[in-house]
Amino acid sequence: MARSYSVYDVFTDNKLAGNPLAIIFDAGDLSDEAMQAIAREMNLSETVFVLPPQNPAHTANLRIFAPGRELPFAGHPTVGTAIALAEKAHANHGGDIDLVSVLDERVGPVRCAIKLRQNKASFAEFDLPKKSQEILLPLDRADIANALSLKITEIGFENHVPSIWSAGVPFLLVPVHDVGAAERLEFDLQLWEKTVPFVDGALASAFIYCRGGVNHVAKFHARMFPVGMGIVEDPATGAAVAALSGAINQFDALPDGHHPVIIEQGIEMGRPSLIHLHLDINGGLIANARIGGQAVRVASGILEL
């Protein structure tokens, strides 16, 4: 059966930057095995399969696959697919549109706000379906430093120390001293696998971050090295930024109010990305968190399967 697909670059307004995403439309008849095989064929960080919504009031049901396994939730597939479905539905409108859609994912329903703009990259943001929660497990800073080929003195800054957080997908968040350390690190997967604990039956992936950035608008600079997903490094990871929201609030002790934060990622890969995080703090706790970014279509075609 022939079915249409598109490829979008997400968390960027420039083609051939950001994080590429394959979106397979009308995928309701595909088996789990076929989806995983197609994701391996596409060989991108993630491939999304669009199915009819579980709730008829929602827009679509998404299945998200990395080349190595299915994910319950991911940020750049949510942003990219929300934009792709909105652009497809309103292709002949010819003007600016603001709309809301709800996407069913394994983690639960995800509410998205989309802004379609003429002659500009579309923007979408979503409410975190789950607030970030810390997972308290023992961590060895020296072993983490070795797995990243860094000095132990380069691990951590200010109040930030290595910690595990999850907003649907767990990550071991590793703060490093500065952008130079983040650029210089060398990720050793074998040492990492010996170092990190299992979380929900799998080894936690590495999300390395520091203050500042190459882009002057960025408050944090980040890199992400996944474990068991079939890729070496990810140029933009919304699920990791979702996890990071909890660490930012805890270690920075954010005052009550609204806090916009931009995280840059993918710089070292030549795929610069900007991830928008918005935190609303009330009583020292995260009352609401949203992640967003732009996306641009770079390819469309027919999958002959």
Side-chain angles (χ1 to χ4, degrees):
M1 173 182 173
R3 65 192 83 232
S4 62
Y5 76 91
S6 292
V7 175
Y8 275 70
D9 285 338
V10 185
F11 291 126
T12 181
D13 60 354
N14 294 315
K15 295 180 179 181
L16 306 182
N19 199 349
L21 170 73
I23 305 167
I24 313 299
F25 302 101
D26 302 317
D29 62 329
L30 290 172
S31 67
D32 292 3
E33 292 78 14
M35 292 183 196
Q36 187 64 76
I38 292 168
R40 287 196 297 268
E41 181 78 10
M42 292 297 181
N43 200 33
L44 300 176
S45 296
E46 281 105 8
T47 297
V48 170
F49 298 86
V50 180
L51 290 74
Q54 298 170 343
N55 183 330
H58 296 173
T59 304
N61 179 25
L62 307 187
R63 301 282 299 277
I64 303 170
F65 285 79
R69 62 184 173 93
E70 185 175 8
L71 301 174
F73 161 72
H76 104 278
T78 300
V79 167
T81 307
I83 288 172
L85 292 175
E87 289 184 346
K88 193 173 184 181
H90 300 278
N92 299 319
H93 183 273
D96 295 346
I97 306 175
D98 292 346
L99 64 152
V100 174
S101 68
V102 179
L103 303 175
D104 295 322
E105 300 186 19
R106 286 294 178 92
V107 74
V110 182
R111 181 182 178 277
C112 306
I114 306 106
K115 297 178 180 180
L116 305 183
R117 297 292 182 265
Q118 284 187 299
N119 304 317
K120 291 180 64 177
S122 298
F123 179 93
E125 66 177 4
F126 60 88
D127 296 324
L128 294 194
K130 290 185 177 181
K131 293 177 183 176
S132 181
Q133 298 289 328
E134 186 174 13
I135 299 169
L136 296 173
L137 291 171
L139 299 171
D140 189 302
R141 189 181 298 201
D143 288 343
I144 291 172
N146 287 336
L148 300 179
S149 302
L150 293 175
K151 299 175 183 177
I152 191 170
T153 54
E154 294 178 293
I155 303 298
F157 63 84
E158 300 163 16
N159 294 328
H160 289 248
V161 296
S163 56
I164 300 174
W165 294 78
S166 175
V169 179
F171 291 89
L172 200 171
L173 309 180
V174 184
V176 296
H177 186 264
D178 54 24
V179 172
E183 292 175 339
R184 190 173 63 254
L185 70 85
E186 296 180 10
F187 182 73
D188 188 318
L189 178 59
Q190 290 185 328
L191 286 179
W192 185 262
E193 289 176 337
K194 294 177 181 178
T195 298
V196 302
F198 278 84
V199 182
D200 297 334
L203 292 172
S205 294
F207 189 72
I208 292 90
Y209 69 99
C210 64
R211 287 214 197 275
V214 175
N215 191 310
H216 72 279
V217 303
K219 290 190 177 180
F220 291 93
H221 177 94
R223 301 180 71 177
M224 201 285 273
F225 299 91
V227 177
M229 296 184 192
I231 57 174
V232 177
E233 184 174 356
D234 193 37
T237 318
V241 169
L244 181 67
S245 66
I248 291 174
N249 184 47
Q250 176 167 297
F251 296 132
D252 287 348
L254 296 178
D256 286 0
H258 177 71
H259 300 270
V261 181
I262 294 179
I263 296 95
E264 68 176 20
Q265 192 179 332
I267 305 298
E268 292 81 2
M269 303 176 67
R271 305 279 314 193
S273 309
L274 292 176
I275 304 171
H276 295 249
L277 170 66
H278 290 266
L279 294 170
D280 295 316
I281 307 300
N282 186 10
L285 302 176
I286 297 175
N288 186 46
R290 303 184 305 280
I291 287 176
Q294 294 174 292
V296 288
R297 187 175 66 238
V298 294
S300 294
I302 299 297
L303 187 67
E304 296 180 355
L305 291 171

